[in-house]
Amino acid sequence: MASRGRKRKAEAAVTAAEKREKLAGGGKGVEEATVVIEHCQALRLEAPELPVKVNPAKPRRGSFEVTLVRPDGSSVELWTGIKKGPPRKLKFPEPQEVVEELKKYLS
C-alpha cells in the first residue's frame, strides 16, 4: 500500500505544472520558450514604447533593482530591495509600486 504523502505530492506536481502552462501561454500553444516576469509586464503595459532589459550585466547576489536610464545617460532608481528583508518577500516590490514611480519620472 502506497503512503498518502506520495499521492498528494504527485497531485500537487500535476497542478503546479498546469499553473505554469496557463501562465506561460494563457492556455494556448506556444511556438517558442518564453519567460514571463510580472513586473516587466506591468511596466510594458504602462509604457509600451520603453525597452525593458533584464540583467544587462551579471546581477549581484541578493539584489533586485529596477532602474530607469534616461536618453542623456542619467539613471533613476525606481526600486531597490537590497536593504529590505527578511523576510525575503520584502525584497520584491508590488508591480503597481514600480509603475507609480515610473510615472513620476516620465511625466
Side-chain angles (χ1 to χ4, degrees), residues 35-37 39-40 44 51-59 64-65:
V35 175
V36 178
I37 302 174
H39 294 85
C40 286
R44 286 184 175 146
V52 176
K53 293 183 181 178
V54 179
N55 293 336
K58 183 179 178 185
F64 183 84
E65 295 181 323

Side-chain angles (χ1 to χ4, degrees), residues 36-45 52 64 66 79 91-99:
V36 178
I37 302 174
E38 184 177 344
H39 294 85
C40 286
Q41 295 294 350
L43 292 174
R44 286 184 175 146
L45 289 173
V52 176
F64 183 84
V66 181
W79 172 267
K91 290 188 169 284
F92 303 97
E94 289 296 320
Q96 198 56 38
E97 289 179 49
V98 178
V99 169

Side-chain angles (χ1 to χ4, degrees), residues 44-90:
R44 286 184 175 146
L45 289 173
E46 184 60 37
E49 71 281 357
L50 281 178
V52 176
K53 293 183 181 178
V54 179
N55 293 336
K58 183 179 178 185
R60 293 170 289 167
R61 186 177 186 271
S63 69
F64 183 84
E65 295 181 323
V66 181
T67 306
L68 172 65
V69 180
R70 295 181 175 146
D72 64 0
S74 65
S75 62
V76 177
E77 197 170 81
L78 301 177
W79 172 267
T80 182
I82 292 178
K83 294 183 181 180
K84 300 197 186 259
R88 188 168 173 18
K89 71 178 184 176
L90 295 177

Side-chain angles (χ1 to χ4, degrees), residues 1-7:
M1 184 171 175
S3 69
R4 293 182 187 191
R6 289 184 184 180
K7 184 176 180 181

